[in-house]
Amino acid sequence: MKMGLDFGQFKNMANVDLKATRPRHFNISTVATHWSTASATWYGSPNGFGSDGGSCGYGTAVSQAPFSSMVTGIGPSLYHAGRECGACYEVKCTKHPSCSRKPARVVITDFCPGGPCASDRAHFDLSGTAFGAMAKPGQEKHLRDAGVLQIRFARVECDYSRTNIVFRVDQGSNPNYFATVIEFQEGDGDLAGVSLKEKNSNKWLKMVQSWGAVWKIDPGRELHPPFSLRLISQYSEKTLVAKDVIPSGWKPGATYRSVVNYL
């Protein structure tokens, strides 16, 4: 990805291990919003969505509701090798004359590896749409012309207007290998683990994070659908089960919507 882009008291920029510092059943909603300082740029078209899905694997979904182009690439200090794909932040600017001082909510969908993304303690490479959302009405262009901008950011719960979790089957999936992009986890739904259960089985098979928001399983044998998927939240450790969400006759590239979410 090119340039053009905490938990406050629970995690600082020295890369402290979150698991070692958070309470066992930590919930984002129970912590007061804690604002930190970062730098920000934007990439892609002025009113666009950055890049087509970026390194998290969301594809064209980034331009559609509920992401609605309000997305960002993130530097290494917050990206954590893709584990933070889908995490939500509020960002705002206060020092430029065109800043509205009002926060805009964005979702991590991409990785920004070089330049200030790597050298700054925290850096957001926002879509043109998201960058402009920090401006006063009618002054979006003036703000986008500012170059590298100092902003404030805060980790917040995701809110997708009660959209249920979606599973988009990876194109490389086949009867012996299954991978899926998991989208739209609300609340404290950053994932610590995903498991799959086959038809007529009581055994949960552990999936592993392949890259970005993609989770996979490769058991060395044919898998038998329909599949139920079990999700475990990274922070509250809340468990959700999407029962038989992947049907018999599933297709690579198809999207299957669950009836569950973390709110």
Side-chain angles (χ1 to χ4, degrees), residues 225-240:
F227 304 142
S228 297
L229 294 174
R230 183 176 66 185
L231 316 180
I232 300 176
S233 166
Q234 182 177 167
Y235 304 115
S236 68
E237 299 183 358
K238 180 179 178 180
T239 298
L240 294 179

Side-chain angles (χ1 to χ4, degrees), residues 3 5 13 37-41 75-78 114-124 148-150:
M3 287 298 304
L5 181 87
M13 290 305 172
T37 300
S39 57
T41 45
S77 65
L78 294 177
C117 291
S119 60
D120 291 352
R121 295 176 66 198
H123 189 94
F124 289 75
V148 179
L149 192 68
Q150 186 178 42

Side-chain angles (χ1 to χ4, degrees), residues 86 158 160 165 182-187 189-191 231 261-262:
C158 291
Y160 296 118
I165 292 173
I182 303 175
E183 301 175 353
F184 313 143
Q185 303 95 277
E186 294 196 298
D190 296 34
L191 297 178
L231 316 180
N261 213 323
Y262 280 100

Side-chain angles (χ1 to χ4, degrees), residues 187-205:
D188 60 356
D190 296 34
L191 297 178
V194 180
S195 301
L196 178 148
K197 187 166 67 173
E198 301 169 85
K199 177 183 179 181
N200 299 327
S201 174
N202 293 319
K203 183 178 181 180
W204 287 100
L205 306 175

Side-chain angles (χ1 to χ4, degrees), residues 101-208:
R101 297 176 171 266
K102 297 178 181 179
R105 190 185 303 258
V106 297
V107 185
I108 294 177
T109 60
D110 209 348
F111 177 54
C112 183
C117 291
S119 60
D120 291 352
R121 295 176 66 198
H123 189 94
F124 289 75
D125 199 18
L126 298 150
S127 69
T129 297
F131 199 92
M134 296 188 294
K136 295 175 182 176
Q139 297 191 31
E140 293 86 357
K141 183 181 185 303
H142 295 295
L143 192 64
R144 285 192 290 264
D145 289 342
V148 179
L149 192 68
Q150 186 178 42
I151 65 167
R152 303 281 286 169
F153 74 98
R155 181 72 165 82
V156 295
E157 290 186 320
C158 291
D159 182 359
Y160 296 118
S161 300
R162 304 289 178 174
T163 298
N164 287 326
I165 292 173
V166 166
F167 301 91
R168 180 161 48 84
V169 180
D170 187 79
Q171 288 286 0
S173 296
N174 59 60
N176 301 294
Y177 168 84
F178 181 79
T180 181
V181 181
I182 303 175
E183 301 175 353
F184 313 143
Q185 303 95 277
E186 294 196 298
D188 60 356
D190 296 34
L191 297 178
V194 180
S195 301
L196 178 148
K197 187 166 67 173
E198 301 169 85
K199 177 183 179 181
N200 299 327
S201 174
N202 293 319
K203 183 178 181 180
W204 287 100
L205 306 175
K206 183 179 179 181
M207 301 181 73
V208 297

